[in-house]
Amino acid sequence: RAPSTLLRMAAQGSIARRRRPRDVTWRIVLLAVFVAAPVRGESDSLLVDVPASSKRCVGEQFPDGALGQWSFRVVATPGSPPAGGPRGETHVRVTVKDPTKRLLFSEALTHEAAQFPFTTKIPGLHKACIQNHAARSQRVALAVSTQGFSVKEYGADVGEKLGPISKQLDESRNMLKDIAAEMDRALKRETRERQTATATESRIETMGFVSMAVLIGLALWQIIYLRSFFRSKKLL
């Protein structure tokens, strides 16, 4: 029994020795995932370790007209000597390019956050590349934030884009002015016609009264004349 027990213990020891490299490998993978994972702070940031005299790039897809902001900052790692010269330089430079590889932003980084607000004019993958010119590895905190809406940024061609709209607005404004002038003329014409109708009505009433007075006077004159005529003839 003792030899079998020793054999089982030796077998378990060999199995444990065989498993150690795999455990170490998983620990390294988890550590790398933890380092590269976003860190929750004041804003979502991605920690990127850039080796000495090397370059690392990250990309982000943006739609047309997206409004957002890039933020970059060199993180002082524990145990590393302070980087930079008298101006706080870290010998780390970041560049941001659009999908056509046109340079949008380039700046030397320090331990203070460098921010780059942007409005995309071309949809697609925008790349931020970090170049480490120092003789040691450095860590950079990178964050990008986008708003929940999109805007359009008009440049020098604003006249071409707004020209037809301005022309249509001018035509509409002139048409409204013509309609308003026509309505004013119609109101004036209606007022003049109302005044004419009122004056005509008063004249008609006056003419009616005069006509009645003339008829009554003529009837009385005829009665008086015929009475005097018949009396002169001794017919009455």
Side-chain angles (χ1 to χ4, degrees), residues 118-131:
F118 63 91
T119 301
T120 58
K121 298 180 180 180
I122 301 176
L125 182 65
H126 290 65
K127 290 184 178 181
C129 293
I130 303 168
Q131 181 76 40

Side-chain angles (χ1 to χ4, degrees), residues 35-58:
V35 170
V39 177
R40 296 289 180 176
E42 296 180 357
S43 60
D44 291 340
S45 300
L46 179 68
L47 296 181
V48 180
D49 289 328
V50 185
S53 302
S54 63
K55 180 180 179 180
R56 291 287 177 86
C57 294
V58 295

Side-chain angles (χ1 to χ4, degrees), residues 164-200:
I165 299 177
S166 300
K167 185 177 179 180
Q168 292 179 0
L169 289 175
D170 292 338
E171 293 177 355
S172 300
R173 182 166 54 251
N174 294 332
M175 184 174 61
L176 289 176
K177 289 181 179 179
D178 295 339
I179 293 174
E182 183 65 27
M183 292 181 66
D184 291 338
R185 288 194 295 268
L187 289 175
K188 291 180 180 179
R189 185 165 54 250
E190 183 182 359
T191 302
R192 186 170 59 251
E193 290 177 356
R194 187 185 300 109
Q195 293 176 353
T196 303
T198 303
T200 303

